[in-house]
Amino acid sequence: KEYIEGAGGEFIVKDAGGDIATQESDIRDLVAAGVDFLVVAPLEDNGLQGALQEAMDSEIPVILVDRAIAGEAGTYYTTAIMSDFVWEGEQCAKALMEALPDGGNVVIINGGYDSSTSTDRQKGFVDALDSSKYTIVGEQDGEWLMDKAQSVMENILQAQGGENIDAVFAVTDDMVQGAMNAITAAGLTPGQDILTLGIDGTRAALEAVEDGTQLASCTCTPYFGEIVLDTITKLINGEEVPEHIVNEDTLYTKDNVNVALGF
């Protein structure tokens, strides 16, 4: 809003409330209204292709932000601006291998399999781990929710036993918080008995990294205003834009988290 209105544009917001069918309908309404550009954060990999193709066929550039969809640039969207989710997962794996060089048993809490954010983060993490040293002993869907992640971690702890788990990686920091609640409720100490890692760079996660209960948090920047405006400006000027643009992120550990927390 700040960047678009600051440049003299009109900023129209549609909130689908987490429902993919509503998001599809919102897109079709905006296309019918004749907007000049569509900026879309897809809720799922599939479900929006028809509406987005309608926008592209109407010569309305589509800029995806934060998440990808299944399908090709040029057909369903003009460009996709997002973090490198695979890279985020890789950074967490590297932090774990540095902290636990002899290997160990690892639990993964993902956000399901219909989101590129979740699947790419998990892929980056798993592929970067040395499989000769690290064993995935549990994998559950936390549905992006702290409470759900706490519940599934409680189930995993009961099934595996806390003494048989060395680390937990969740694809979001909110789910790490849930996992840590379960670890604590089981009489164990996060960061000591079981290492925890996550992604998003939330304030709570960075504070947990600072106090040692979370090993690392990789940011997933929520700031898209400037880069979206820059992309729109290039399109208005007739310039080519890449099909994929990376929004840069940072891995925070005990060594550098003070910079993020401002002290």
Side-chain angles (χ1 to χ4, degrees), residues 7 9 11 19 34 37 50 52 70 95 112 121 146-147 162 167 178 189 194 207 214-215 235 245 249-250 256 260:
F11 186 62
D19 181 69
F37 297 90
L52 293 179
R121 286 173 175 175
M146 186 184 302
D147 289 349
T189 303
I194 299 177
E207 290 175 350
Q214 184 165 332
L215 177 65
L235 291 170
I245 301 171
D249 290 303
T250 303
N256 63 343

Short mmCIF file of all heavy atoms in Angstrom, two decimals, residues 7 9 11 19 34 37 50 52 70 95 112 121 146-147 162 167 178 189 194 207 214-215 235 245 249-250 256 260:
data_model
loop_
_atom_site.label_atom_id
_atom_site.label_comp_id
_atom_site.label_asym_id
_atom_site.label_seq_id
_atom_site.Cartn_x
_atom_site.Cartn_y
_atom_site.Cartn_z
N ALA A 7 3.61 5.85 -5.31
CA ALA A 7 3.97 6.03 -6.72
C ALA A 7 2.78 6.53 -7.55
O ALA A 7 2.88 6.64 -8.77
CB ALA A 7 4.48 4.72 -7.30
N GLY A 9 -0.32 5.06 -7.62
CA GLY A 9 -1.22 4.00 -8.04
C GLY A 9 -2.37 3.80 -7.07
O GLY A 9 -2.33 4.27 -5.93
N PHE A 11 -4.44 1.10 -4.90
CA PHE A 11 -4.17 -0.20 -4.30
C PHE A 11 -5.48 -0.85 -3.86
O PHE A 11 -6.17 -0.34 -2.98
CB PHE A 11 -3.23 -0.01 -3.09
CG PHE A 11 -2.76 -1.28 -2.45
CD1 PHE A 11 -1.99 -2.19 -3.16
CD2 PHE A 11 -3.06 -1.55 -1.12
CE1 PHE A 11 -1.54 -3.35 -2.55
CE2 PHE A 11 -2.61 -2.72 -0.52
CZ PHE A 11 -1.85 -3.61 -1.23
N ASP A 19 -9.32 -19.35 1.76
CA ASP A 19 -10.13 -20.25 0.93
C ASP A 19 -9.75 -20.09 -0.54
O ASP A 19 -9.87 -19.00 -1.10
CB ASP A 19 -11.60 -19.95 1.13
CG ASP A 19 -12.50 -20.86 0.31
OD1 ASP A 19 -12.56 -22.07 0.62
OD2 ASP A 19 -13.11 -20.37 -0.66
N GLY A 34 -11.07 -4.82 -14.72
CA GLY A 34 -10.07 -4.21 -15.58
C GLY A 34 -8.88 -3.60 -14.87
O GLY A 34 -8.37 -2.55 -15.29
N PHE A 37 -2.72 -4.43 -13.06
CA PHE A 37 -1.78 -5.47 -12.63
C PHE A 37 -2.43 -6.29 -11.53
O PHE A 37 -3.19 -5.77 -10.71
CB PHE A 37 -0.48 -4.85 -12.08
CG PHE A 37 0.29 -4.06 -13.09
CD1 PHE A 37 0.05 -2.70 -13.24
CD2 PHE A 37 1.24 -4.67 -13.90
CE1 PHE A 37 0.76 -1.96 -14.18
CE2 PHE A 37 1.95 -3.94 -14.84
CZ PHE A 37 1.70 -2.59 -14.99
N GLY A 50 -6.92 -21.35 -13.95
CA GLY A 50 -7.90 -20.85 -14.90
C GLY A 50 -8.10 -19.35 -14.79
O GLY A 50 -8.12 -18.63 -15.80
N LEU A 52 -6.03 -17.14 -13.43
CA LEU A 52 -4.80 -16.42 -13.77
C LEU A 52 -4.57 -16.41 -15.28
O LEU A 52 -4.11 -15.40 -15.85
CB LEU A 52 -3.60 -17.06 -13.06
CG LEU A 52 -3.60 -16.93 -11.54
CD1 LEU A 52 -2.39 -17.62 -10.94
CD2 LEU A 52 -3.64 -15.46 -11.11
N ALA A 70 1.63 -24.42 -9.76
CA ALA A 70 2.01 -25.37 -10.79
C ALA A 70 1.67 -24.76 -12.14
O ALA A 70 0.56 -24.29 -12.35
CB ALA A 70 1.26 -26.69 -10.60
N ALA A 95 22.91 -25.59 9.66
CA ALA A 95 23.02 -25.20 11.07
C ALA A 95 22.94 -26.42 11.98
O ALA A 95 23.68 -26.52 12.97
CB ALA A 95 21.91 -24.21 11.42
N GLY A 112 2.04 -29.75 5.11
CA GLY A 112 1.25 -30.49 4.12
C GLY A 112 1.97 -30.56 2.79
O GLY A 112 3.07 -30.02 2.62
N ARG A 121 10.79 -26.30 1.28
CA ARG A 121 11.59 -26.17 2.50
C ARG A 121 12.02 -27.54 3.01
O ARG A 121 13.16 -27.72 3.42
CB ARG A 121 10.79 -25.43 3.58
CG ARG A 121 10.66 -23.94 3.34
CD ARG A 121 9.72 -23.28 4.32
NE ARG A 121 9.70 -21.83 4.15
CZ ARG A 121 8.91 -21.00 4.81
NH1 ARG A 121 8.08 -21.47 5.72
NH2 ARG A 121 8.95 -19.70 4.58
N MET A 146 0.31 -23.64 15.26
CA MET A 146 1.07 -23.92 16.47
C MET A 146 0.43 -25.04 17.28
O MET A 146 1.11 -25.97 17.73
CB MET A 146 1.17 -22.64 17.32
CG MET A 146 2.07 -22.78 18.53
SD MET A 146 2.08 -21.27 19.58
CE MET A 146 2.63 -20.03 18.41
N ASP A 147 -0.88 -24.96 17.48
CA ASP A 147 -1.58 -25.97 18.28
C ASP A 147 -1.50 -27.36 17.64
O ASP A 147 -1.29 -28.36 18.33
CB ASP A 147 -3.04 -25.58 18.49
CG ASP A 147 -3.20 -24.39 19.42
OD1 ASP A 147 -2.20 -24.02 20.07
OD2 ASP A 147 -4.31 -23.84 19.50
N GLY A 162 11.36 -39.34 23.94
CA GLY A 162 12.19 -38.15 23.80
C GLY A 162 13.67 -38.44 23.71
O GLY A 162 14.42 -37.71 23.04
N ALA A 167 16.60 -33.78 17.26
CA ALA A 167 16.28 -32.47 16.69
C ALA A 167 14.91 -32.49 16.02
O ALA A 167 14.44 -33.54 15.57
CB ALA A 167 17.34 -32.05 15.67
N GLY A 178 5.03 -24.60 18.72
CA GLY A 178 4.16 -25.68 19.16
C GLY A 178 4.94 -26.91 19.56
O GLY A 178 4.65 -27.55 20.59
N THR A 189 13.95 -30.26 27.73
CA THR A 189 14.31 -28.86 27.51
C THR A 189 14.66 -28.61 26.04
O THR A 189 15.64 -29.16 25.54
CB THR A 189 15.52 -28.47 28.38
OG1 THR A 189 15.21 -28.72 29.75
CG2 THR A 189 15.88 -27.00 28.19
N ILE A 194 16.50 -31.59 23.00
CA ILE A 194 16.12 -31.69 21.59
C ILE A 194 16.35 -30.33 20.94
O ILE A 194 15.80 -29.31 21.39
CB ILE A 194 14.64 -32.11 21.43
CG1 ILE A 194 14.40 -33.48 22.06
CG2 ILE A 194 14.25 -32.13 19.95
CD1 ILE A 194 12.95 -33.94 22.01
N GLU A 207 13.77 -14.44 19.41
CA GLU A 207 14.01 -14.38 20.86
C GLU A 207 14.37 -15.75 21.40
O GLU A 207 15.20 -15.88 22.32
CB GLU A 207 12.77 -13.81 21.56
CG GLU A 207 12.56 -12.33 21.28
CD GLU A 207 11.27 -11.79 21.86
OE1 GLU A 207 10.44 -12.60 22.33
OE2 GLU A 207 11.10 -10.55 21.84
N GLN A 214 15.88 -22.26 20.70
CA GLN A 214 15.79 -22.60 19.27
C GLN A 214 17.18 -22.42 18.67
O GLN A 214 17.84 -21.40 18.88
CB GLN A 214 14.78 -21.71 18.56
CG GLN A 214 14.57 -22.06 17.08
CD GLN A 214 13.32 -21.42 16.50
OE1 GLN A 214 12.36 -21.15 17.20
NE2 GLN A 214 13.32 -21.17 15.19
N LEU A 215 17.61 -23.42 17.93
CA LEU A 215 18.97 -23.39 17.38
C LEU A 215 19.13 -22.34 16.30
O LEU A 215 20.12 -21.60 16.27
CB LEU A 215 19.34 -24.77 16.82
CG LEU A 215 20.71 -24.87 16.13
CD1 LEU A 215 21.83 -24.63 17.14
CD2 LEU A 215 20.86 -26.24 15.47
N LEU A 235 7.74 -3.17 -16.11
CA LEU A 235 6.73 -3.61 -17.06
C LEU A 235 6.08 -2.42 -17.77
O LEU A 235 5.84 -2.45 -18.98
CB LEU A 235 5.67 -4.45 -16.36
CG LEU A 235 6.14 -5.83 -15.86
CD1 LEU A 235 5.09 -6.46 -14.96
CD2 LEU A 235 6.46 -6.75 -17.03
N ILE A 245 12.09 -14.11 -9.50
CA ILE A 245 12.92 -13.13 -8.80
C ILE A 245 13.02 -13.56 -7.33
O ILE A 245 11.99 -13.82 -6.69
CB ILE A 245 12.31 -11.72 -8.90
CG1 ILE A 245 12.17 -11.30 -10.37
CG2 ILE A 245 13.15 -10.72 -8.13
CD1 ILE A 245 11.36 -10.02 -10.57
N ASP A 249 16.95 -13.72 1.89
CA ASP A 249 16.70 -14.02 3.29
C ASP A 249 18.01 -14.22 4.05
O ASP A 249 19.09 -14.22 3.46
CB ASP A 249 15.83 -15.28 3.41
CG ASP A 249 14.41 -15.04 2.95
OD1 ASP A 249 13.76 -14.13 3.49
OD2 ASP A 249 13.95 -15.73 2.02
N THR A 250 17.88 -14.41 5.39
CA THR A 250 19.05 -14.54 6.26
C THR A 250 18.81 -15.66 7.27
O THR A 250 17.71 -15.80 7.80
CB THR A 250 19.30 -13.23 7.03
OG1 THR A 250 19.47 -12.15 6.11
CG2 THR A 250 20.55 -13.34 7.92
N ASN A 256 24.47 -14.30 15.32
CA ASN A 256 24.11 -13.03 14.67
C ASN A 256 22.71 -12.53 14.98
O ASN A 256 22.27 -11.52 14.45
CB ASN A 256 24.27 -13.15 13.15
CG ASN A 256 23.33 -14.16 12.53
OD1 ASN A 256 22.76 -15.02 13.23
ND2 ASN A 256 23.14 -14.10 11.22
N ALA A 260 19.33 -8.85 14.32
CA ALA A 260 17.91 -8.84 13.99
C ALA A 260 17.07 -8.27 15.12
O ALA A 260 16.05 -7.63 14.89
CB ALA A 260 17.45 -10.26 13.65
#
